[in-house]
Amino acid sequence: MATVELRFSALPEHVRTARLVAAAVARRAGVDEAVLDEVRLAVGEACTRAVGLHRSNGVDMPVRVVLTEEEKKFSIEVGDEVPETSSGPGSRTGDEAAGHPAPAAGEPGAEEAEDEGTMGLAVISGLVDDVEVTSGPGGGVIRMSWPTTPTVELP
Amino acid sequence: MDLSLSTRTVGDRTVVEVGGEIDVYTAPKLREQLVELVNDGSYHLVVDMESVDFLDSTGLGVLVGGLKRVRAHEGSLRLVCNQERILKIFRITGLTKVFPIHTSVEEAVNATD
């Protein structure tokens, strides 16, 4: 059962809302203050990527963000509705769907990143230790998790 | 929180002071500013990021795009940043090797390659 679930229209202005909500829920769940910046950035990157995929593929459905407080970790799932098989400009490529990061900076591909934000996955994989990128006929999902510090229960 | 931008000229350099959040929503505004400066003939830019609260890969992409544009005119794009959480993003993407990053506007303005 998700702690908080968020669905938003695939518009750039809503990505900030998703970041704020994710950081607030992560803080409540006991994610270390020092890591909240990473949570904020990683969720932002995942949502930006999903918004980009929806828009470039003409998908009207909302982007899904599922925030779950588990026993010793806090997990976030960001799901898009762009099927793996979709083609055309901006569709998910085989490489990207398999979780390979975008070209690193300094490599020839980096300069084309300006419009497509292909550095997003590279940032996520650089930031988050526990991350999984999957995609199927129903769309793609980025799953990330962070350890939580258990709150001390007073007797 | 929106993005704030202001520009001023120091010698042959143009300093762009950026404040607020640079993300997928606000980055186009920064891109327009950089494009406009280059179109107006400012090829030596210093982007002051000391008041930036948030930066994501979209923002990085815009900065890389700006660098590409000034380089086409043999110009330069230097960054000013002391914030660890922002520097970290440049580090994990390897962009510290691409951008000269300075600790003050004064240092960036006086820097030569």
Side-chain angles (χ1 to χ4, degrees):
Chain A
M1 174 72 189
T3 304
V4 172
E5 193 173 335
L6 186 69
R7 282 165 194 270
F8 64 91
S9 309
L11 295 169
E13 54 263 50
H14 298 322
V15 172
R16 178 169 188 263
T17 306
R19 286 201 304 268
L20 295 175
V21 171
V25 179
R27 177 181 280 126
R28 256 197 67 86
V31 174
D32 196 83
E33 284 291 321
V35 188
L36 288 177
D37 272 340
E38 292 178 13
V39 173
R40 202 174 283 123
L41 182 57
V43 169
E45 295 292 357
C47 290
T48 298
R49 180 170 170 272
V51 166
L53 283 169
H54 277 215
R55 289 167 72 87
S56 57
N57 289 281
V59 172
D60 288 335
M61 281 172 282
V63 171
R64 284 171 294 120
V65 182
V66 178
L67 311 164
T68 313
E69 193 177 332
E70 291 169 49
E71 207 175 316
K72 284 178 179 165
K73 64 176 186 177
F74 175 68
S75 66
I76 301 181
E77 276 185 30
V78 177
D80 64 68
E81 306 280 348
V82 179
E84 200 175 9
T85 48
S86 169
S87 61
S91 71
R92 64 176 76 251
T93 63
D95 267 356
E96 201 195 26
H100 295 298
E107 285 173 30
E111 296 210 329
E112 266 100 65
E114 186 183 7
D115 297 309
E116 296 300 324
T118 52
M119 278 186 282
L121 273 185
V123 170
I124 292 173
S125 44
L127 274 181
V128 190
D129 293 332
D130 181 20
V131 59
E132 185 191 28
V133 183
T134 53
S135 68
V141 178
I142 298 181
R143 289 187 187 82
M144 308 173 273
S145 84
W146 289 266
T148 51
T149 333
T151 46
V152 181
E153 298 279 349
L154 293 172
Chain B
M1 176 76 69
D2 208 353
L3 185 75
S4 68
L5 294 168
S6 69
T7 62
R8 63 181 194 274
T9 309
V10 182
D12 66 338
R13 312 285 164 103
T14 303
V15 180
V16 183
E17 200 180 305
V18 190
E21 302 189 342
I22 313 176
D23 74 350
V24 64
Y25 180 54
T26 61
K29 205 171 145 189
L30 176 61
R31 180 187 296 134
E32 278 165 32
Q33 174 75 84
L34 297 179
V35 168
E36 196 183 304
L37 286 170
V38 173
N39 287 346
D40 292 346
S42 304
Y43 304 140
H44 292 279
L45 307 179
V46 172
V47 179
D48 179 0
M49 307 189 61
E50 284 299 86
S51 304
V52 170
D53 302 310
F54 180 86
L55 172 76
D56 72 0
S57 63
T58 322
L60 292 177
V62 168
L63 293 172
V64 171
L67 182 66
K68 198 172 146 187
R69 284 192 180 85
V70 293
R71 276 189 180 165
H73 299 277
E74 277 150 33
S76 62
L77 193 155
R78 296 170 183 281
L79 303 177
V80 177
C81 183
N82 293 294
Q83 301 186 70
E84 188 46 41
R85 60 178 179 174
I86 304 287
L87 289 170
K88 187 178 180 182
I89 306 160
F90 285 94
R91 228 174 275 133
I92 59 175
T93 50
L95 286 172
T96 42
K97 296 183 197 103
V98 177
F99 291 104
I101 301 178
H102 300 275
T103 54
S104 69
V105 170
E106 195 189 359
E107 185 189 297
V109 161
N110 293 314
T112 49
D113 287 320

